[in-house]
């Protein structure tokens, strides 16, 4: 008997196959969206997307700057968000007819004329109302979702409506990053409309993408530790950055708690600024300082980033800087720093 080793799935090859197919199948997609039945096309898209990863989702949607949008998304899986982004980056540029997205896009008016049938109930989504509270410590918005029909529906059905409505209204990435707890409620009280909730959530996000940092302190292995991390610390903020780079920088001059002296901290900051200014394609998301070591957490969208870092840290005055590179699509390496 001859045993054949199963080939490991190759997402890059599957992505290439998808876009090669799309180049000729796109006219059929336009006809399908225009109302011409084409079950074969739907099956082909489903099969090609599944070949990239079986848990990816896809859909056609209305565009904002284009007439139509082809979306291949992670379906809420942080681990698959970077894969969906790689699919998008490999595709053609948008034009007047088609755009491409790696996450469901939000529209403030998405609920105005939408209906949803679920659990034997036909819901007018324009009747949805929202309650929202900004949790400053977690830097996110907790949301309550109410609909007059929720009182007569199973709890899980109301929850499904709540999650779907927020995805359509705000977009998958915004929900993943800036929304905290989501609860479907049966008692009247929430009063915000969809556009009002959208405006509130938009106001919470850093203006112009400016980083916002959260300071933390604690004890590790019996030694005090200080940390700071960008908020919100979620992979959907930097799609495609799925390679974790840990940079451990030693420092000799420290106080009784093991923290760097003022002069040592100035040198550490200078090194970090040097790295951040020259390591294109990386983003610094967090720092941890304890017992003579300053750890910087970076994420990159290319394995070449680690090679770029090496000459930037060469010759550090206080000893060898250690760099550790780990594939980390769900950002588990910094989960302890993300509330």
């Amino acid at each position: 008997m001859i045993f054949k080793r199963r080939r490991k799935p190759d997402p890059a090859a599957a992505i290439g196959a998808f876009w090669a197919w799309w180049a000729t199948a796109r006219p059929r997609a336009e006809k399908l969206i225009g109302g011409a039945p084409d079950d074969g096309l739907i099956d082909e898209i489903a099969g090609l997307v599944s070949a990239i990863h079986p848990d990816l989702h896809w859909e056609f949607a209305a565009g904002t700057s284009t007439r139509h949008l082809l979306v291949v998304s992670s379906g809420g899986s942080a681990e698959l968000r970077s894969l969906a982004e790689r699919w998008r980056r490999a595709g053609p540029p948008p034009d007047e007819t088609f755009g491409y997205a790696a996450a469901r896009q939000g529209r403030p008016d998405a609920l105005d004329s939408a209906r949803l049938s679920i659990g034997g109930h036909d819901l007018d989504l324009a009747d949805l109302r929202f309650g929202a509270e900004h949790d400053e410590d977690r830097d996110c918005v907790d949301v309550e979702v109410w609909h007059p029909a929720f009182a007569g529906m199973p709890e899980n059905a109301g929850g499904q409506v709540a999650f779907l409505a927020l995805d359509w209204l705000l977009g998958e990435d915004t929900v993943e990053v800036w929304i905290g707890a989501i609860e479907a409620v049966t008692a009247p009280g929430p009063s915000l409309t969809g556009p009002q909730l959208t405006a509130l959530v938009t106001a919470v996000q850093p203006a112009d993408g400016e980083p916002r940092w959260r300071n933390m302190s604690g004890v590790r292995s019996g030694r005090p530790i200080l940390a700071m991390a960008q908020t919100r610390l979620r992979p959907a903020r930097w799609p495609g950055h799925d390679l974790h780079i840990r940079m451990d920088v030693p420092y000799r001059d420290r106080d009784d708690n093991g923290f760097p002296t003022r002069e040592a901290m100035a040198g550490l900051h200078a090194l970090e600024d040097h790295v951040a200014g020259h390591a294109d394609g990386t983003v610094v998301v967090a720092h941890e300082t304890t017992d003579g070591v300053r750890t910087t957490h970076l994420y990159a969208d290319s394995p070449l980033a680690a090679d770029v870092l090496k000459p930037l840290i060469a010759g550090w005055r206080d000893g060898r800087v250690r760099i550790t590179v780990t594939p980390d699509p769900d950002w588990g390496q910094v989960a302890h720093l993300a509330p």
Side-chain angles (χ1 to χ4, degrees):
M1 183 178 294
I2 298 175
F3 293 92
K4 293 184 178 180
R5 181 178 295 178
R6 294 183 63 184
R7 291 184 179 179
K8 185 178 180 180
D10 184 356
I15 289 172
F18 180 96
W19 288 117
W21 170 85
W22 176 255
T24 59
R26 174 180 155 149
R28 293 169 57 198
E30 293 183 43
K31 293 178 181 178
L32 174 69
I33 295 172
D38 193 338
D39 292 340
L41 178 75
I42 294 174
D43 291 341
E44 289 170 39
I45 296 178
L48 288 161
V49 171
S50 181
I52 301 170
H53 195 285
D55 293 333
L56 289 174
H57 296 201
W58 73 273
E59 65 181 43
F60 289 117
T64 51
S65 58
T66 63
R67 286 199 296 275
H68 313 299
L69 197 65
L70 173 57
V71 182
V72 169
S73 83
S74 66
S77 167
E79 186 174 355
L80 295 179
R81 182 61 181 86
S82 62
L83 183 59
E85 179 65 14
R86 283 182 165 77
W87 167 86
R88 185 196 67 80
R89 293 183 185 183
D95 54 33
E96 291 183 359
T97 305
F98 267 108
Y100 310 95
R104 183 178 288 125
Q105 305 296 290
R107 298 175 63 101
D109 62 350
L111 309 181
D112 288 356
S113 57
R115 303 192 72 84
L116 180 66
S117 295
I118 185 169
H121 295 264
D122 184 34
L123 277 63
D124 184 347
L125 298 188
D127 292 336
L128 284 167
R129 292 296 180 267
F130 306 90
E133 183 176 352
H134 180 208
D135 185 316
E136 294 186 3
D137 289 337
R138 291 157 54 228
D139 201 12
C140 63
V141 178
D142 294 327
V143 177
E144 291 184 338
V145 184
W146 174 82
H147 190 281
F150 281 177
M153 296 172 60
E155 183 178 350
N156 63 337
Q160 291 179 45
V161 174
F163 277 90
L164 286 171
L166 290 174
D167 274 355
W168 292 331
L169 188 64
L170 303 172
E172 281 184 295
D173 284 350
T174 297
V175 172
E176 168 64 22
V177 177
W178 298 107
I179 301 301
I182 300 172
E183 182 182 5
V185 297
T186 56
S191 60
L192 297 175
T193 63
Q196 288 172 331
L197 177 67
T198 301
L200 187 152
V201 174
T202 300
V204 166
Q205 301 173 41
D208 300 322
E210 284 296 315
R212 190 157 60 207
W213 295 83
R214 176 174 179 260
N215 294 311
M216 293 161 276
S217 62
V219 176
R220 177 183 294 167
S221 300
R223 300 292 291 170
I225 181 170
L226 296 175
M228 59 187 302
Q230 285 208 49
T231 64
R232 298 264 285 165
L233 199 57
R234 297 292 188 275
R237 284 191 66 192
W238 297 276
H241 286 64
D242 57 1
L243 195 69
H244 175 253
I245 301 176
R246 173 175 173 148
M247 187 171 72
D248 291 313
V249 183
Y251 54 87
R252 293 193 183 98
D253 296 333
R254 43 181 153 164
D255 61 22
D256 293 341
N257 289 316
F259 298 133
T261 62
R262 180 172 298 185
E263 293 77 11
M265 183 57 81
L268 290 164
H269 283 162
L271 177 64
E272 291 161 4
D273 290 343
H274 182 59
V275 168
H278 292 84
D280 293 338
T282 66
V283 57
V284 176
V285 301
H287 303 282
E288 297 178 89
T289 307
T290 183
D291 202 20
V293 178
R294 170 95 160 168
T295 298
T296 297
H297 297 276
L298 307 94
Y299 278 86
D301 59 1
S302 167
L304 298 177
D307 294 331
V308 173
L309 285 179
K310 291 176 182 177
L312 300 176
I313 60 174
W316 173 244
R317 66 192 184 194
D318 286 353
R320 185 175 72 90
V321 177
R322 181 181 178 186
I323 291 181
T324 307
V325 181
T326 308
D328 188 27
D330 64 354
W331 286 34
Q333 295 291 326
V334 293
H336 62 291
L337 300 171

